[in-house]
Amino acid sequence: MENILVAGANGTTGKKIVDLLATSQYFNPVAMVRKESQKKQFEDKKIATILADLEKDVSHTTENIDKIIFAAGSGGKNVKAVDQEGAKKLIDAGKKSNVRKFVMLSSMGADNPESSEELKDYLIAKQNADIYLRESKLPYSIIRPGALNDEKGKGKIELSKKLNKSGEISREDVAQTLVHVLHDTAVINETFEIIEGNTLIGKAIPS
């Protein structure tokens, strides 16, 4: 079983990722949370937790960790400190611990932050984090979903390096995609955009 550190485990998408990993025969989740009070919900399910704040030191979080999923976000409140610099700190920690893959939950539009006045600062932060990951020499997968919704997952997506169209996708299907790309057989060192589609997630991800 590979130990998977989930940054942002307490978030809406993060919780779905942790639950999927907990039922997997390949992966063992380690939920990274910011507050002591957030640990109990995971510990009650016998899921390992680690306390760390992305705005502070996170160098202790990657010991005995095989792979990382970065699903943390500041909800637009502190994008530079969390979405950008927090991601960079975790990439550095992962590099020192020789983690075997870093899966980044990014956002569609991160390659062109100017495209959205409203989300510009957020998209710049995501873009900078993505660039830092690519240049880190860590094996990576960057997943850029369209607008997230809370509908039930369909298990099917449309995936491309560049979709050239906007769309929505459920958090459930995003979580499934992030877990799928953890596998060693999934393509490494690529960036993909995803929205709801007609191809089964497992088939849509190149190997």
Side-chain angles (χ1 to χ4, degrees):
M1 299 277 278
E2 293 180 327
N3 291 328
I4 312 297
L5 180 69
V6 182
N10 193 55
T12 318
T13 308
K15 285 176 183 169
K16 294 181 189 304
I17 294 166
V18 171
D19 285 345
L20 283 170
L21 292 170
T23 59
S24 160
Q25 57 183 326
Y26 307 104
F27 307 121
N28 179 46
V30 179
M32 179 173 147
V33 293
R34 200 162 50 93
K35 297 176 184 162
E36 190 71 40
S37 59
Q38 295 167 344
K39 288 166 74 173
K40 189 178 184 303
Q41 61 186 316
F42 299 109
E43 289 169 349
D44 284 351
K45 297 179 188 174
K46 307 281 188 288
I47 290 165
T49 62
I50 192 159
L51 205 57
D53 187 336
L54 285 163
E55 293 186 55
K56 296 173 185 163
D57 178 34
V58 296
S59 59
H60 62 290
T61 60
T62 52
E63 198 178 324
N64 300 318
I65 293 296
D66 297 294
K67 294 171 183 172
I68 296 170
I69 294 182
F70 188 91
S74 61
K77 296 185 192 100
N78 208 352
V79 291
K80 192 164 184 190
V82 176
D83 302 73
Q84 178 180 304
E85 296 307 313
K88 286 183 180 182
K89 280 192 267 191
L90 201 57
I91 291 163
D92 288 342
K95 209 171 164 180
K96 277 195 184 134
S97 301
N98 296 311
V99 298
R100 298 212 314 279
K101 197 178 222 181
F102 193 111
V103 177
M104 176 75 84
L105 173 55
S106 183
S107 173
M108 205 180 269
D111 58 340
N112 181 23
E114 311 297 325
S115 63
S116 169
E117 194 53 52
E118 189 189 344
L119 295 172
K120 188 175 164 187
D121 289 345
Y122 168 71
L123 293 173
I124 287 172
K126 294 308 282 183
Q127 181 185 54
N128 289 337
D130 291 355
I131 291 168
Y132 194 81
L133 177 56
R134 284 197 201 103
E135 292 175 351
S136 72
K137 301 287 188 288
L138 271 179
Y140 71 84
S141 292
I142 296 170
I143 303 297
R144 291 175 166 170
L148 301 180
N149 64 49
D150 291 315
E151 288 171 26
K152 186 159 175 48
K154 296 183 171 64
K156 295 180 177 180
I157 57 172
E158 186 173 347
L159 175 148
S160 178
K161 289 182 183 178
K162 186 72 184 160
L163 284 168
N164 294 311
K165 62 178 173 181
S166 57
E168 288 195 8
I169 185 164
S170 70
R171 293 175 190 277
E172 221 166 87
D173 285 338
V174 170
Q176 288 269 14
T177 304
L178 293 168
V179 170
H180 265 279
V181 297
L182 278 174
H183 289 277
D184 291 331
T185 51
V187 74
I188 291 177
N189 300 340
E190 292 286 2
T191 302
F192 297 110
E193 294 183 344
I194 57 169
I195 54 173
E196 186 183 299
N198 299 312
T199 308
L200 287 167
I201 291 169
K203 290 226 166 75
I205 296 162
S207 56

